[in-house]
Amino acid sequence: MTQQLFVIPLWADLLGVGLGGVQGALFASGFVGQRRLDLLGVVIIGTVMGMGGGLIRDLLLNVELATLHSNWYLITAVGAALLGMLLAGLFQRLNTVIVALDAVVIGLFGAFGTSKALGMGLPVVPAVFVGACAAVGGGILRDVMMGLPVAIMHVGSLYAVAAVVGCAVLAFAHALGAPLVAGAVACVAVTAVIRLLAVIFDISLPEQRALHRRKVAVETGAIPLIRP
Amino acid sequence: MTQQLFVIPLWADLLGVGLGGVQGALFASGFVGQRRLDLLGVVIIGTVMGMGGGLIRDLLLNVELATLHSNWYLITAVGAALLGMLLAGLFQRLNTVIVALDAVVIGLFGAFGTSKALGMGLPVVPAVFVGACAAVGGGILRDVMMGLPVAIMHVGSLYAVAAVVGCAVLAFAHALGAPLVAGAVACVAVTAVIRLLAVIFDISLPEQRALHRRKVAVETGAIPLIRP
Amino acid sequence: MTQQLFVIPLWADLLGVGLGGVQGALFASGFVGQRRLDLLGVVIIGTVMGMGGGLIRDLLLNVELATLHSNWYLITAVGAALLGMLLAGLFQRLNTVIVALDAVVIGLFGAFGTSKALGMGLPVVPAVFVGACAAVGGGILRDVMMGLPVAIMHVGSLYAVAAVVGCAVLAFAHALGAPLVAGAVACVAVTAVIRLLAVIFDISLPEQRALHRRKVAVETGAIPLIRP
């Protein structure tokens, strides 16, 4: 393969891991009573949120796990989790900054995941899937380890949707012959904008709905049958 | 390796993925109130049920994930999940058809998984394990992502047991020198028959039980001690 | 790589798998009422506890899963789970022996995982991470499949901490040029001693805590503001 891959720079990757660690610690601090986490629990949740996306991405691609081939990922995730725990009050006041940074970071992770998948020869649709998993996988792993239902299936605010749309922009730009770097920049921009607009205007996906709801209602007697 | 592998045809693989998607959507529509899933949640559960078995199979075998090397798997899973959501009423009336098709599909997935494992040189017992994981892995992932205990450990109706027995038939037939295709046909037949008989006659596994229950009862005083 | 790896002997590996199976069955027997497990459920939990650590280790290292390349691992895990279920009363009386054996086994698993990771060229920190996952991964998978929050994040008694410290001893000894076997012996000894001391003296990690707790209290009015 002679094509240039879009490679996320280490500092951006570590920024994402660190943000994940802080967010994990803030999430963990919300549990009180019986489910209260100890120190190790906070560190585990921070590590899982910071590194989970990259781990899932590389498992899906069946390549060596990049985040385990440098000391810095784990050190950053653990350090960020401890910092997030100690300075929970400060970080909660910085919430706006964190949400904005996080919107950029899921765009970066999605762009890196999609680009890595395309570079390995995956078709467009699975490449978008891998990118989206890289972007939101940390949060999924966090919920699974907490024994909670996975949040992105319930809450909305277009978190995962923003990642999917951004990754799709990159994949289709690539399919149309655009250079990967341009596609990656578009991916990050689209993801961040959708995510931030959704947060600002409180937009969310519609709930699931079935066709023929009226028919069902008729059958159960809730609506009187109209005879022709 | 010169031996012919039993390869599931793409249409059968996609039929299985599609059925999983529909079943995932029907499962998701059962959640109301606080745990109600949005559109994306339905799509995720459908995708996980349709593709989870194949993903787990290939992760256990440490080979590239086959379901990510074609666009069709994800398109089928997502499409089937949306269809299942929109036509939930229709599909619920087709329940008998779906249970019957599903019994054949877990047989096919089990046969494909076991045969792929044997083809890679795994011994008999792990090959059966991989086949069973391929057959029931989607349901396991679904439960994990919903934060629920894994259903096959509790409910019975011999779902996983049917898969294990079918895969074992294939593995032992192969060990005795039978051609893989014959073994695979036997696997599908055995799995489907056990599963359907279990559904029809409501057969399930016995609950766990400990020996010496009486002794324990004696120790706790529930049964008066008989002195010799 | 010419360096001699520390290879856990098969009997020790199987002892660990068998202990995990017994412990899984004892854990499963604690669930009554609606969440009561059937026979297959007990076998699954036993298998997951016995083999989960090794599976996670090899997935993280992206190598073929060693526990699926011999019939003995699955046979041992399933047999041990059934034995544990039938003789639950007996094993519960042997609790002290099981806790002691388990402390040695998590040391062995941690040493094997760390050494395998170092042998594959991973840096020190990720190698310790892989070793710790190998030691406690079975318990994590068990909790995830039961839909429970992962226990090592909550309960303490320094279970995971003992594994991390032991693995770190091995990794740093290796970095300083010590032979792997010596490091592995130290790892097992350190892990087992920390774990047993923690059980005997009921030591656990401190709960998470934030700095500036007073400041927060001031802001919420719980503590009257002192004006300068």
Side-chain angles (χ1 to χ4, degrees):
Chain A
M1 221 165 309
T2 56
Q3 192 178 19
Q4 184 91 30
L5 283 188
F6 165 70
V7 176
I8 202 172
L10 183 64
W11 64 263
D13 216 0
L14 291 181
L15 175 68
V17 169
L19 262 179
V22 168
Q23 289 179 307
L26 296 181
F27 183 86
S29 69
F31 287 86
V32 289
Q34 255 209 320
R35 302 192 76 173
R36 197 163 165 77
L37 298 164
D38 68 6
L39 263 179
L40 181 69
V42 174
V43 167
I44 292 177
I45 291 297
T47 307
V48 153
M49 274 203 78
M51 294 177 53
L55 290 176
I56 289 179
R57 177 199 65 209
D58 291 341
L59 282 174
L60 290 175
L61 295 176
N62 194 34
V63 294
E64 65 176 28
L65 307 185
T67 47
L68 297 185
H69 282 77
S70 152
N71 285 327
W72 288 110
Y73 290 94
L74 276 160
I75 291 173
T76 304
V78 170
L82 292 176
L83 206 71
M85 182 188 75
L86 292 171
L87 305 176
L90 174 65
F91 282 114
Q92 259 140 13
R93 251 165 294 155
L94 289 175
N95 189 36
T96 315
V97 180
I98 286 185
V99 168
L101 266 177
D102 182 57
V104 175
V105 164
I106 57 172
L108 278 171
F109 278 0
F112 187 40
T114 306
S115 134
K116 194 169 183 178
L118 289 171
M120 292 185 59
L122 261 65
V124 169
V125 178
V128 172
F129 176 75
V130 170
C133 288
V136 305
I140 292 179
L141 267 191
R142 173 201 70 193
D143 294 331
V144 165
M145 292 192 68
M146 296 291 297
L148 300 169
V150 171
I152 56 163
M153 302 194 299
H154 297 270
V155 285
S157 291
L158 305 191
Y159 194 84
V161 169
V164 169
V165 174
C167 294
V169 166
L170 167 51
F172 286 108
H174 178 256
L176 297 175
L180 266 177
V181 175
V185 171
C187 168
V188 175
V190 167
T191 301
V193 167
I194 293 180
R195 169 67 181 152
L196 290 177
L197 288 180
V199 170
I200 294 168
F201 296 107
D202 200 13
I203 304 165
S204 64
L205 271 195
E207 287 202 351
Q208 53 174 316
R209 65 192 63 233
L211 298 176
H212 306 301
R213 199 177 286 277
R214 194 179 154 276
K215 208 161 152 196
V216 173
V218 169
E219 277 161 2
T220 58
I223 299 178
L225 275 169
I226 299 163
R227 295 173 198 263
Chain B
M1 224 165 308
T2 57
Q3 192 179 19
Q4 182 92 30
L5 283 188
F6 165 71
V7 177
I8 202 171
L10 183 63
W11 64 264
D13 216 0
L14 292 181
L15 175 69
V17 170
L19 263 178
V22 168
Q23 289 178 308
L26 296 181
F27 183 86
S29 69
F31 287 85
V32 291
Q34 255 209 320
R35 302 191 77 172
R36 197 164 164 77
L37 299 163
D38 68 6
L39 263 180
L40 181 70
V42 173
V43 166
I44 291 177
I45 291 298
T47 307
V48 153
M49 274 204 77
M51 294 176 53
L55 291 176
I56 290 179
R57 176 198 66 210
D58 291 341
L59 282 174
L60 290 176
L61 294 176
N62 194 34
V63 294
E64 66 175 26
L65 306 186
T67 48
L68 297 185
H69 282 78
S70 153
N71 285 326
W72 288 110
Y73 290 93
L74 276 160
I75 291 173
T76 304
V78 171
L82 292 175
L83 206 71
M85 182 188 75
L86 292 172
L87 305 176
L90 174 66
F91 281 113
Q92 258 140 13
R93 253 166 292 155
L94 291 175
N95 189 35
T96 315
V97 180
I98 286 184
V99 168
L101 266 177
D102 182 57
V104 175
V105 164
I106 57 171
L108 278 170
F109 279 1
F112 188 39
T114 308
S115 134
K116 195 169 182 177
L118 289 172
M120 293 184 59
L122 260 64
V124 169
V125 178
V128 171
F129 176 76
V130 170
C133 288
V136 304
I140 292 179
L141 268 190
R142 174 202 70 193
D143 295 332
V144 165
M145 292 192 67
M146 296 292 296
L148 300 169
V150 172
I152 56 163
M153 302 194 298
H154 297 270
V155 284
S157 291
L158 304 190
Y159 194 84
V161 169
V164 170
V165 174
C167 295
V169 166
L170 166 51
F172 285 108
H174 179 257
L176 297 175
L180 265 177
V181 175
V185 171
C187 168
V188 175
V190 167
T191 303
V193 166
I194 293 180
R195 169 68 181 151
L196 290 178
L197 289 179
V199 170
I200 294 169
F201 296 108
D202 200 13
I203 304 165
S204 65
L205 270 194
E207 286 201 351
Q208 53 173 316
R209 66 193 61 233
L211 298 177
H212 306 301
R213 198 177 288 278
R214 192 178 155 278
K215 206 161 153 198
V216 173
V218 170
E219 277 162 2
T220 59
I223 298 178
L225 275 169
I226 299 164
R227 294 174 199 264
Chain C
M1 223 165 309
T2 56
Q3 193 178 19
Q4 183 92 31
L5 284 186
F6 165 69
V7 177
I8 202 173
L10 183 63
W11 64 263
D13 215 359
L14 292 181
L15 174 68
V17 169
L19 262 179
V22 168
Q23 289 178 307
L26 295 181
F27 183 85
S29 69
F31 287 86
V32 291
Q34 256 209 318
R35 301 193 77 172
R36 196 163 165 77
L37 299 164
D38 69 6
L39 263 179
L40 182 70
V42 173
V43 167
I44 292 177
I45 291 298
T47 307
V48 153
M49 275 203 76
M51 295 175 51
L55 291 176
I56 290 178
R57 176 199 65 209
D58 291 341
L59 282 174
L60 290 175
L61 294 176
N62 194 34
V63 293
E64 64 175 29
L65 306 186
T67 48
L68 296 186
H69 282 77
S70 151
N71 285 326
W72 288 109
Y73 290 93
L74 275 160
I75 291 173
T76 303
V78 170
L82 292 176
L83 207 72
M85 181 188 75
L86 292 171
L87 305 176
L90 174 66
F91 282 113
Q92 259 140 12
R93 252 166 293 153
L94 290 175
N95 189 37
T96 314
V97 180
I98 286 185
V99 168
L101 267 176
D102 183 57
V104 175
V105 164
I106 58 172
L108 278 170
F109 279 1
F112 188 39
T114 307
S115 134
K116 195 169 181 176
L118 289 171
M120 293 184 59
L122 261 65
V124 168
V125 178
V128 171
F129 176 75
V130 170
C133 288
V136 305
I140 292 178
L141 268 191
R142 175 201 68 192
D143 294 332
V144 165
M145 292 192 68
M146 296 292 297
L148 300 169
V150 171
I152 56 164
M153 302 193 298
H154 297 272
V155 285
S157 291
L158 304 191
Y159 194 84
V161 169
V164 170
V165 175
C167 294
V169 166
L170 166 50
F172 286 108
H174 178 257
L176 297 175
L180 265 178
V181 175
V185 171
C187 167
V188 175
V190 168
T191 302
V193 167
I194 294 180
R195 168 67 180 151
L196 290 177
L197 288 180
V199 170
I200 294 168
F201 296 107
D202 201 14
I203 305 165
S204 63
L205 272 193
E207 288 202 349
Q208 52 173 318
R209 66 192 63 231
L211 297 176
H212 306 302
R213 199 177 287 278
R214 193 177 155 279
K215 206 163 157 197
V216 174
V218 170
E219 277 161 4
T220 58
I223 299 177
L225 276 168
I226 298 164
R227 296 173 197 266

